[in-house]
mmCIF file of all heavy atoms in Angstrom:
data_model
loop_
_atom_site.group_PDB
_atom_site.id
_atom_site.type_symbol
_atom_site.label_atom_id
_atom_site.label_comp_id
_atom_site.label_asym_id
_atom_site.label_seq_id
_atom_site.Cartn_x
_atom_site.Cartn_y
_atom_site.Cartn_z
ATOM 1 N N ALA A 827 -23.049 75.314 -25.548
ATOM 2 C CA ALA A 827 -21.708 75.764 -25.166
ATOM 3 C C ALA A 827 -20.639 74.966 -25.913
ATOM 4 O O ALA A 827 -19.618 75.519 -26.332
ATOM 5 C CB ALA A 827 -21.535 75.609 -23.656
ATOM 6 N N ASP A 828 -20.873 73.675 -26.105
ATOM 7 C CA ASP A 828 -19.917 72.858 -26.855
ATOM 8 C C ASP A 828 -19.872 73.286 -28.317
ATOM 9 O O ASP A 828 -18.798 73.297 -28.940
ATOM 10 C CB ASP A 828 -20.310 71.384 -26.763
ATOM 11 C CG ASP A 828 -20.057 70.796 -25.380
ATOM 12 O OD1 ASP A 828 -19.306 71.406 -24.608
ATOM 13 O OD2 ASP A 828 -20.629 69.712 -25.069
ATOM 14 N N MET A 829 -21.046 73.628 -28.878
ATOM 15 C CA MET A 829 -21.079 74.108 -30.259
ATOM 16 C C MET A 829 -20.247 75.385 -30.406
ATOM 17 O O MET A 829 -19.449 75.521 -31.359
ATOM 18 C CB MET A 829 -22.519 74.389 -30.703
ATOM 19 C CG MET A 829 -23.386 73.146 -30.863
ATOM 20 S SD MET A 829 -25.108 73.584 -31.246
ATOM 21 C CE MET A 829 -24.919 74.403 -32.823
ATOM 22 N N PHE A 830 -20.440 76.325 -29.472
ATOM 23 C CA PHE A 830 -19.682 77.584 -29.526
ATOM 24 C C PHE A 830 -18.187 77.291 -29.401
ATOM 25 O O PHE A 830 -17.366 77.876 -30.134
ATOM 26 C CB PHE A 830 -20.148 78.517 -28.407
ATOM 27 C CG PHE A 830 -19.413 79.833 -28.391
ATOM 28 C CD1 PHE A 830 -19.798 80.866 -29.247
ATOM 29 C CD2 PHE A 830 -18.320 80.045 -27.555
ATOM 30 C CE1 PHE A 830 -19.105 82.070 -29.257
ATOM 31 C CE2 PHE A 830 -17.638 81.240 -27.561
ATOM 32 C CZ PHE A 830 -18.030 82.263 -28.405
ATOM 33 N N GLN A 831 -17.812 76.417 -28.498
ATOM 34 C CA GLN A 831 -16.409 76.087 -28.285
ATOM 35 C C GLN A 831 -15.787 75.536 -29.560
ATOM 36 O O GLN A 831 -14.645 75.842 -29.892
ATOM 37 C CB GLN A 831 -16.302 75.050 -27.153
ATOM 38 C CG GLN A 831 -14.885 74.745 -26.699
ATOM 39 C CD GLN A 831 -14.332 75.828 -25.789
ATOM 40 O OE1 GLN A 831 -15.062 76.723 -25.351
ATOM 41 N NE2 GLN A 831 -13.032 75.785 -25.552
ATOM 42 N N ASN A 832 -16.571 74.709 -30.293
ATOM 43 C CA ASN A 832 -16.056 74.133 -31.531
ATOM 44 C C ASN A 832 -15.816 75.190 -32.605
ATOM 45 O O ASN A 832 -14.878 75.087 -33.398
ATOM 46 C CB ASN A 832 -17.035 73.086 -32.064
ATOM 47 C CG ASN A 832 -17.081 71.841 -31.195
ATOM 48 O OD1 ASN A 832 -16.185 71.608 -30.391
ATOM 49 N ND2 ASN A 832 -18.150 71.052 -31.336
ATOM 50 N N GLN A 833 -16.686 76.241 -32.634
ATOM 51 C CA GLN A 833 -16.567 77.276 -33.663
ATOM 52 C C GLN A 833 -15.529 78.345 -33.304
ATOM 53 O O GLN A 833 -14.889 78.917 -34.191
ATOM 54 C CB GLN A 833 -17.934 77.942 -33.893
ATOM 55 C CG GLN A 833 -19.006 77.013 -34.449
ATOM 56 C CD GLN A 833 -18.679 76.512 -35.842
ATOM 57 O OE1 GLN A 833 -18.022 77.213 -36.637
ATOM 58 N NE2 GLN A 833 -19.094 75.296 -36.167
ATOM 59 N N ASP A 834 -15.374 78.618 -32.019
ATOM 60 C CA ASP A 834 -14.381 79.621 -31.566
ATOM 61 C C ASP A 834 -13.009 78.963 -31.605
ATOM 62 O O ASP A 834 -12.451 78.551 -30.592
ATOM 63 C CB ASP A 834 -14.746 80.094 -30.161
ATOM 64 C CG ASP A 834 -13.794 81.170 -29.647
ATOM 65 O OD1 ASP A 834 -13.014 81.719 -30.471
ATOM 66 O OD2 ASP A 834 -13.804 81.441 -28.434
ATOM 67 N N ARG A 835 -12.453 78.908 -32.800
ATOM 68 C CA ARG A 835 -11.274 78.087 -33.018
ATOM 69 C C ARG A 835 -10.019 78.636 -32.347
ATOM 70 O O ARG A 835 -9.139 77.862 -31.975
ATOM 71 C CB ARG A 835 -11.065 77.896 -34.510
ATOM 72 C CG ARG A 835 -12.317 77.262 -35.148
ATOM 73 C CD ARG A 835 -12.190 77.039 -36.634
ATOM 74 N NE ARG A 835 -13.483 76.670 -37.213
ATOM 75 C CZ ARG A 835 -14.015 75.464 -37.187
ATOM 76 N NH1 ARG A 835 -13.360 74.489 -36.600
ATOM 77 N NH2 ARG A 835 -15.198 75.237 -37.727
ATOM 78 N N ASN A 836 -9.926 79.950 -32.216
ATOM 79 C CA ASN A 836 -8.751 80.501 -31.533
ATOM 80 C C ASN A 836 -9.011 80.769 -30.055
ATOM 81 O O ASN A 836 -8.156 81.326 -29.358
ATOM 82 C CB ASN A 836 -8.263 81.774 -32.212
ATOM 83 C CG ASN A 836 -9.316 82.889 -32.163
ATOM 84 O OD1 ASN A 836 -10.369 82.761 -31.512
ATOM 85 N ND2 ASN A 836 -9.032 84.009 -32.848
ATOM 86 N N GLN A 837 -10.223 80.399 -29.604
ATOM 87 C CA GLN A 837 -10.580 80.462 -28.191
ATOM 88 C C GLN A 837 -10.416 81.881 -27.611
ATOM 89 O O GLN A 837 -9.968 82.046 -26.479
ATOM 90 C CB GLN A 837 -9.732 79.460 -27.378
ATOM 91 C CG GLN A 837 -9.795 78.029 -27.877
ATOM 92 C CD GLN A 837 -11.208 77.457 -27.821
ATOM 93 O OE1 GLN A 837 -11.825 77.448 -26.766
ATOM 94 N NE2 GLN A 837 -11.707 77.014 -28.973
ATOM 95 N N ASP A 838 -10.864 82.876 -28.421
ATOM 96 C CA ASP A 838 -10.764 84.260 -27.918
ATOM 97 C C ASP A 838 -12.103 84.780 -27.408
ATOM 98 O O ASP A 838 -12.253 85.965 -27.118
ATOM 99 C CB ASP A 838 -10.228 85.202 -28.998
ATOM 100 C CG ASP A 838 -11.151 85.297 -30.214
ATOM 101 O OD1 ASP A 838 -12.148 84.512 -30.271
ATOM 102 O OD2 ASP A 838 -10.882 86.112 -31.121
ATOM 103 N N GLY A 839 -13.100 83.906 -27.321
ATOM 104 C CA GLY A 839 -14.394 84.286 -26.758
ATOM 105 C C GLY A 839 -15.383 84.820 -27.771
ATOM 106 O O GLY A 839 -16.482 85.248 -27.393
ATOM 107 N N LYS A 840 -15.054 84.799 -29.059
ATOM 108 C CA LYS A 840 -15.993 85.232 -30.097
ATOM 109 C C LYS A 840 -15.689 84.485 -31.388
ATOM 110 O O LYS A 840 -14.583 84.000 -31.595
ATOM 111 C CB LYS A 840 -15.914 86.737 -30.316
ATOM 112 C CG LYS A 840 -14.555 87.237 -30.791
ATOM 113 C CD LYS A 840 -14.548 88.756 -30.947
ATOM 114 C CE LYS A 840 -13.169 89.249 -31.401
ATOM 115 N NZ LYS A 840 -13.137 90.727 -31.561
ATOM 116 N N ILE A 841 -16.720 84.430 -32.244
ATOM 117 C CA ILE A 841 -16.591 83.725 -33.517
ATOM 118 C C ILE A 841 -16.495 84.755 -34.631
ATOM 119 O O ILE A 841 -17.319 85.666 -34.753
ATOM 120 C CB ILE A 841 -17.805 82.805 -33.758
ATOM 121 C CG1 ILE A 841 -17.940 81.770 -32.627
ATOM 122 C CG2 ILE A 841 -17.697 82.093 -35.100
ATOM 123 C CD1 ILE A 841 -19.227 80.955 -32.706
ATOM 124 N N THR A 842 -15.460 84.616 -35.458
ATOM 125 C CA THR A 842 -15.283 85.507 -36.616
ATOM 126 C C THR A 842 -15.856 84.816 -37.847
ATOM 127 O O THR A 842 -16.108 83.613 -37.840
ATOM 128 C CB THR A 842 -13.796 85.811 -36.836
ATOM 129 O OG1 THR A 842 -13.127 84.583 -37.155
ATOM 130 C CG2 THR A 842 -13.172 86.425 -35.578
#
Side-chain angles (χ1 to χ4, degrees):
D828 288 343
M829 291 175 63
F830 180 82
Q831 188 78 10
N832 290 343
Q833 296 295 329
D834 182 13
R835 303 180 190 279
N836 63 7
Q837 305 299 304
D838 63 353
K840 62 182 179 180
I841 301 172
T842 64

